[in-house]
Amino acid sequence: MRALFFLAALLAGTANVSAQTAAPTAAQTELDAYLDRWEKTMASVTNLTAVITRVDTDKVFKTATKYTGWAAYTKSGTGLTALNKAVLELKPEGKTDISEKVVCTGTYIYQFIPARKEIHAHEMPRGKNGELADNASLGLMFGMKAAAAKERFGLMLAKVDAHYVYVDITPKKAEDRTEFQRARLVLDKNSFMPRQVWLEQPNGNTVLWDLPAWPDAYTASTQARGTLQE
């Protein structure tokens, strides 16, 4: 479930992640410039819809399961009253039945599991004053403060090519490392919208979220965007 939160975090953008507490290195300065462009791009987004795929890889059984679907996001309000609403729907590739659906109302996250005819509700955690809590993936999803983001995650510029910016993410806190041990965010260098999110879970299994095409308002066609490097 937290992998879904993490994806939503990257769709919603991370607030002020480029802030520094010490003199930045050249690599950090370059990363901050990219993150700043990403932040400004995502801050201007109030509504978007994207085609999406997910590939779940099992390390032990050496299997890969692909899902296809769509995600939609809308933002309403500002400050402490802001609500980030989202819907994610996935189907196994080549099949018509929905295998997974997640709806975020801004205050609750509902996970629908059709195969088991179950609905799981998760209340969004809040701080002492009623604001959305600054914790891990959910904090990133709804605007984590710079100091909290730096405390929780290590962000490193892995590489840059003609089409994409690759950012490696590592959790610093033990409770976050129970959810994932490594992650990579790939940003489209033209639009600075998320292109791909890869997560490695503690057991070695991986989850790869791919957003192959955004609306023309945000980026060029898929064919013009180049090939992702490993």
Side-chain angles (χ1 to χ4, degrees), residues 96-162:
T96 58
D97 292 337
I98 297 173
S99 61
E100 204 168 334
K101 186 170 184 177
V102 177
V103 176
C104 177
T105 66
T107 53
Y108 279 85
I109 292 179
Y110 297 92
Q111 182 183 23
F112 298 83
I113 307 176
R116 299 202 298 265
K117 298 182 179 181
E118 295 177 355
I119 299 177
H120 298 172
H122 308 265
E123 185 175 7
M124 303 296 295
R126 293 184 176 272
K128 295 180 180 179
N129 299 320
E131 74 279 5
L132 288 164
D134 280 349
N135 71 325
S137 301
L138 292 179
L140 288 172
M141 180 176 179
F142 293 100
M144 181 178 284
K145 295 178 182 178
K150 290 293 181 182
E151 180 182 359
R152 288 234 177 223
F153 298 101
L155 303 172
M156 184 181 72
L157 184 63
K159 59 186 175 184
V160 179
D161 61 27

Side-chain angles (χ1 to χ4, degrees), residues 153-201:
F153 298 101
L155 303 172
M156 184 181 72
L157 184 63
K159 59 186 175 184
V160 179
D161 61 27
H163 301 283
Y164 300 105
V165 177
Y166 303 75
V167 181
D168 285 345
I169 302 169
T170 54
K172 295 180 179 180
K173 291 182 175 290
E175 59 265 33
D176 296 334
R177 289 194 293 270
T178 64
E179 306 298 337
F180 69 95
Q181 58 185 7
R182 290 190 300 153
R184 172 168 284 189
L185 164 67
V186 181
L187 297 173
D188 187 297
K189 202 174 179 182
N190 177 54
S191 67
F192 278 87
M193 299 289 284
R195 169 63 171 87
Q196 194 177 82
V197 183
W198 173 86
L199 303 106
E200 183 179 36
Q201 299 168 340

